[in-house]
Amino acid sequence: MAKIALFGANGTIGSRVLREALDRGHQVTAVVRDPKKLTETHENLTVVTGDVLDPASVEAVAAGQDVVVSAVGGGDGPGHVATIEPAAKSLVAGVRALGEQAPRLITVGGAGSLRTPDGKQVWDAEGLPEFLLQIMHAHGDALDYYRTVTDVRWTNLSPAGLIEPGERTGTYRTALDDLVVDGNGKSRISAEDYAVALVDEIEEANHIGERFTVGD
C-alpha cells in the first residue's frame, strides 16, 4: 500500500480521492490549511497543516511519502490564476528537494487544453465566460510548466469536459490529449470515478511524465 500526501483533501475532487485511497487501504496524510475543517476520520488518515504554495512546506510533508497528490483549486477565475501554476512550481520544487528519495507527483488538471473531435481545444469554444477561461488557462499554464520538468516523476490528470459529484461505477475510458466523449459527443465523468482513475494511477504508474484524461 502507498503512503500518500494529499493537498486539497477538503475539495470536491480531493475529498473523493481521500475516500477512494482510504477504502483501498492506502495510508493518507491530508495536508490542509485548517485541520478543523476536515471531518473525515480513519485509522490510516493523518491530518497535518501545510501550504501548497510554500516549497518548504511541500518538502516537509512529502518526505517519506510514495506519492504527493494535489487536488487544490482556486475557487473563482482569479483564484485559479493565483493558485494553480504557482502551486505547480511549488510542488515540483518541494518534491525535487528530496533528491533520490523524492516521491511521485500527481496533480489534478483541467480540461481546457484537451483536443476536441473537431481538432480545436476545449477553451476555443464560443461563448465561454471569462472566469471559466481563466480557470482553463491556469491549468493549461501549469501543464505547460510540468512538461518542462524532467527530474520529477509527475503526472497530470485532466477530467472530462464535465465533472461533478455522482455515482462511483469504477469504470472509465482514458486518452492522452484528446477529450474523451461518448456516442453523443458529450464528455463527462463523476468525481467519484475520477478519483478511481487517480488512485489507479497511484497503484499502476502508467502515465509518468505525461498528462492523461478520463471520461465515462
Side-chain angles (χ1 to χ4, degrees), residues 114-199:
L114 293 167
R115 283 192 299 262
T116 56
D118 63 3
K120 297 182 180 180
Q121 289 174 288
V122 172
W123 58 37
D124 293 326
E126 294 183 4
L128 294 175
E130 180 60 26
F131 83 91
L132 186 56
L133 287 170
Q134 288 179 317
I135 292 172
M136 288 179 173
H137 283 284
H139 281 291
D141 290 343
L143 177 59
D144 286 343
Y145 169 69
Y146 286 127
R147 284 173 164 162
T148 70
V149 175
T150 58
D151 60 339
V152 169
R153 294 171 296 159
W154 63 269
T155 301
N156 187 254
L157 175 52
S158 289
L162 175 65
I163 181 170
E164 57 187 0
E167 180 185 0
R168 183 194 185 281
T169 69
T171 62
Y172 56 87
R173 293 177 294 142
T174 67
L176 293 181
D177 295 313
D178 293 297
L179 189 70
V180 177
V181 298
D182 62 19
N184 297 317
K186 302 296 184 181
S187 177
R188 59 170 63 90
I189 190 79
S190 70
E192 287 76 7
D193 280 341
Y194 178 95
V196 171
L198 194 148
V199 179

Side-chain angles (χ1 to χ4, degrees), residues 7-22:
F7 288 88
N10 279 325
T12 300
I13 296 176
S15 62
R16 285 158 176 83
V17 172
L18 175 62
R19 172 46 54 189
E20 182 71 24
L22 291 172

Side-chain angles (χ1 to χ4, degrees), residues 50-101:
D51 182 359
V52 73
L53 296 178
D54 179 0
S57 181
V58 173
E59 179 184 358
V61 299
Q65 305 290 338
D66 298 309
V67 185
V68 173
V69 176
S70 176
V72 298
D76 58 9
H80 274 75
V81 172
T83 303
I84 301 302
E85 185 184 14
K89 293 180 177 178
S90 175
L91 287 159
V92 168
V95 169
R96 176 184 283 143
L98 294 170
E100 293 183 356
Q101 304 303 316

Side-chain angles (χ1 to χ4, degrees), residues 104 155 200-208:
R104 291 175 58 206
T155 301
D200 283 349
E201 177 62 24
I202 290 174
E203 296 176 352
E204 299 167 9
N206 290 323
H207 298 283
I208 293 176

